[in-house]
Amino acid sequence: MAAERILIIEDDAGIASLMKLELAHEGYAVSAAATGPAGLEQFEQSAPDLVLLDIMLPGLNGLEVLRRIRKTSSVPVILVTARSETMDTVSGLDAGADDYITKPFAIEELLARIRSMLRRTASYAQQGTPPAKIRIRNIELDTNACTVTKNGQEISLTRTEYMLLLCLAAHKSKALTREQIIDFVWGKDHYIDVNSVDVYVRYLRAKLDEKNTAAKDSLITTLRGIGYRIAGE
């Protein structure tokens, strides 16, 4: 079986060298770049299974690198950030990053996050390919292009919002617990507070429902004490 490919985009030579050494020791195929433009070029060349992306990069910052990656790929991206970059981290997660780790970090924690993320990606693949298009009321998901339209107009969702919608839509009319949603969206080995599901459902409702939609008519129904269910048609 071919080694999983990881791309490191990090301008701190010491940190990049440590990550490269440890990841290679774990059996990953590792490539690296020290600037934003070089990172994008390496991304195209190496087609990685996961990207470790520093936010503060010369030439092109990490957030812009992430935005360009997300135009063509849903590859897992873990941000590598400094503690002082809280707002940039939030912006990165909103732009489609899957996780983040702050410097300085224990290499064991980084390896655990990588393993969790790659298992999560493999789990999606094992669940089988969802239908190319899923339609619920005036919402349509194109699962090949990873786009969502409302009344024929594309709407912008973060990666987490998209995965939450896909989770519900792939099981439409079925009740899903918060724990089931977490396993699908974030992965079985990733600790997420169950309240985070409620937060992202609120974000989704704001984008999917018409203005002033009553709770009982929302596309996503809250099942008190259980979780959520999306409309069937």
Side-chain angles (χ1 to χ4, degrees):
M1 186 170 120
E4 290 167 304
R5 302 176 302 278
I6 296 180
L7 170 61
I8 300 166
I9 309 178
E10 168 66 65
D11 68 327
D12 186 310
I15 293 176
S17 178
L18 173 64
M19 289 195 293
K20 193 170 183 178
L21 182 67
E22 293 290 343
L23 290 171
H25 179 71
E26 292 294 315
Y28 297 110
V30 187
S31 56
T35 69
L40 287 172
E41 182 177 353
Q42 189 65 244
F43 179 80
E44 294 297 329
Q45 292 176 356
S46 62
D49 298 300
L50 183 142
V51 178
L52 296 173
L53 177 63
D54 186 24
I55 286 183
M56 299 302 292
L57 290 169
L60 201 65
N61 70 44
L63 295 181
E64 183 57 31
V65 170
L66 174 61
R67 292 186 188 101
R68 297 191 188 190
I69 287 175
R70 282 290 171 257
K71 288 181 179 179
T72 61
S73 174
S74 59
V75 64
V77 175
I78 299 177
L79 297 177
V80 182
T81 74
R83 294 188 186 279
S84 61
E85 297 166 358
T86 303
M87 290 310 299
D88 284 338
T89 301
V90 172
S91 297
L93 293 171
D94 284 343
D98 299 274
D99 199 358
Y100 73 94
I101 189 167
T102 55
K103 306 173 188 176
F105 53 80
I107 195 66
E108 293 80 8
E109 181 184 1
L110 177 64
L111 292 172
R113 288 174 183 265
I114 290 171
R115 288 192 295 268
S116 176
M117 193 64 63
L118 290 174
R119 279 197 297 268
R120 168 181 161 189
T121 303
S123 175
Y124 293 156
Q126 291 168 4
Q127 289 173 19
T129 304
K133 294 186 185 297
I134 304 175
R135 186 170 183 85
I136 303 171
R137 294 184 186 170
N138 61 340
I139 303 296
E140 184 173 273
L141 286 79
D142 184 326
T143 61
N144 291 326
C146 295
T147 58
V148 178
T149 57
K150 175 181 176 181
N151 297 322
Q153 299 295 313
E154 186 171 345
I155 58 176
S156 176
L157 298 181
T158 68
R159 177 180 170 82
T160 300
E161 290 167 351
Y162 175 80
M163 291 307 301
L164 173 57
L165 178 58
L166 178 60
C167 173
L168 294 168
H171 303 87
K172 58 185 178 180
S173 296
K174 295 182 180 179
L176 295 178
T177 66
R178 290 171 176 80
E179 289 76 13
Q180 288 174 314
I181 292 170
I182 287 172
D183 287 349
F184 186 99
V185 178
W186 286 276
K188 292 181 181 294
D189 300 314
H190 201 89
Y191 174 76
I192 293 289
D193 190 292
V194 292
N195 292 327
S196 296
V197 177
D198 302 334
V199 171
Y200 278 100
V201 167
R202 189 164 68 246
Y203 291 163
L204 262 183
R205 281 174 171 155
K207 294 182 178 182
L208 300 181
D209 289 338
E210 302 297 337
K211 289 183 179 179
N212 302 318
T213 297
K216 65 182 179 64
D217 298 320
S218 176
L219 192 72
I220 301 171
T221 301
T222 300
L223 304 173
R224 193 173 299 278
I226 301 173
Y228 294 96
R229 180 181 62 226
I230 202 164
E233 298 296 341

